[in-house]
Amino acid sequence: GNSVTQMEGPVTLSEEAFLTINCTYTATGYPSLFWYVQYPGEGLQLLLKATKADDKGSNKGFEATYRKETTSFHLEKGSVQVSDSAVYFCALLNPLNTGTASKLTFGTGTRLQVTL
Amino acid sequence: DAGVIQSPRHEVTEMGQEVTLRCKPISGHNSLFWYRQTMMRGLELLIYFNNNVPIDDSGMPEDRFSAKMPNASFSTLKIQPSEPRDSAVYFCASSLIGGYTFGSGTRLTVV
C-alpha cells in the first residue's frame, strides 16, 4: 500500500536558519508528491509539488526534489522566518489509484517553530 | 473563486445533540473529502465522494456519523448524537485531479 513517513516534530529553529524536514514514501508505480502547510487556525494549503522523478518543486523559498532512488521528498529552505511557523505535511498521490478518486496519502505532519 | 466554503466556523454543542457540518466545494471539482483533525490522532480521512457518490467511508468512526452529497455543490457531515470525544476540527477538501483545496475547517466542541 501507500504510506508517507515524516520526521517527528517539533522542529525549533532560529530565524535565518536552514530548514530540512525529511519525508520518505512507499508506493507502487510512480506517485506524485506534495508538501502542504497548515498555519495556525487554518486549513491545509498546497506549498509545492513534483510529479516525476528528479523534478524539483519550489514555492516561497521552499524546495523539495523527488528522489526515486531514495524514495524521498525532503523539504528545504535556506533561511526560515518567524512567519514560516506552521505544520508541514508530506503527501503522495498514486496514479494507480485514480480509477475511483484522487485520494492523497498524508504523513503525520511536522510542526515547525521559528524564533527570533 | 471563493475556495472551499465550510460552515459554521465554530460550533459548541451539548452532548447528545445533533450536529451538522456543511461544505461547498469548488465548482468543477469532482471529488470531496471529509477529514477530522485532533492533537491525538492527527489528520484522519473520514469519507470521500467521487462525482457525488460515496467511495470509501471506512474512516467514519461509528454509526453516529453520516455524510451526504446530494449534488455537486454541497455536502454535509452529521453527528447524531454527539459526544465530547467528537470534539475536533473538521475539514472539507475538494479536488479535480490530484491537488486538494481545503476549507478553513469547523472547530467542533461538544460539552
Side-chain angles (χ1 to χ4, degrees):
Chain A
N2 303 320
S3 68
V4 175
T5 302
Q6 289 183 236
M7 61 188 291
E8 292 273 338
V11 173
T12 302
L13 295 172
S14 298
E15 201 169 43
E16 299 183 1
F18 184 86
L19 168 71
T20 300
I21 299 179
N22 289 339
C23 171
T24 57
Y25 68 90
T26 302
T28 54
Y30 302 93
S32 296
L33 301 172
F34 303 80
W35 277 101
Y36 281 80
V37 58
Q38 184 180 27
Y39 298 103
E42 299 182 14
L44 281 71
Q45 305 171 24
L46 179 64
L47 180 59
L48 53 84
K49 67 178 182 181
T51 57
K52 62 182 187 298
D54 300 325
D55 267 3
K56 178 185 283 187
S58 62
N59 186 24
K60 299 180 181 180
F62 291 88
E63 293 182 340
T65 302
Y66 188 158
R67 302 284 188 203
K68 191 172 190 307
E69 64 276 14
T70 55
T71 61
S72 65
F73 193 54
H74 304 323
L75 182 68
E76 296 181 337
K77 187 174 185 183
S79 176
V80 294
Q81 306 299 311
V82 172
S83 56
D84 294 327
S85 298
V87 180
Y88 293 81
F89 291 88
C90 186
L92 74 82
L93 173 67
N94 195 328
L96 295 179
N97 301 132
T98 54
T100 53
S102 305
K103 186 164 80 79
L104 283 169
T105 299
F106 283 95
T108 53
T110 302
R111 182 175 299 278
L112 170 66
Q113 181 70 45
V114 181
T115 59
L116 290 171
Chain B
D1 192 340
V4 175
I5 299 173
Q6 290 188 247
S7 63
R9 286 298 309 270
H10 302 274
E11 176 79 39
V12 180
T13 190
E14 291 185 348
M15 182 174 63
Q17 296 297 306
E18 177 180 296
V19 175
T20 299
L21 311 181
R22 297 172 175 80
C23 176
K24 177 177 168 49
I26 289 177
S27 177
H29 281 191
N30 62 351
S31 297
L32 183 139
F33 306 81
W34 282 102
Y35 283 86
R36 178 172 68 177
Q37 188 176 40
T38 61
M39 289 293 291
M40 292 294 292
R41 291 199 170 101
L43 196 62
E44 302 173 276
L45 177 63
L46 301 178
I47 184 172
Y48 70 95
F49 297 83
N50 194 42
N51 294 322
N52 313 337
V53 176
I55 301 301
D56 183 356
D57 65 355
S58 60
M60 298 285 259
E62 46 197 277
D63 291 346
R64 297 184 297 105
F65 285 69
S66 62
K68 294 182 180 179
M69 191 165 187
N71 56 62
S73 58
F74 185 65
S75 177
T76 59
L77 178 67
K78 184 178 293 186
I79 308 172
Q80 165 64 15
S82 58
E83 297 182 4
R85 60 192 166 123
D86 302 330
S87 297
V89 181
Y90 291 80
F91 288 104
C92 174
S94 69
S95 76
L96 180 57
I97 300 175
Y100 286 16
T101 301
F102 279 79
S104 298
T106 295
R107 181 173 295 277
L108 173 65
T109 304
V110 183
V111 298

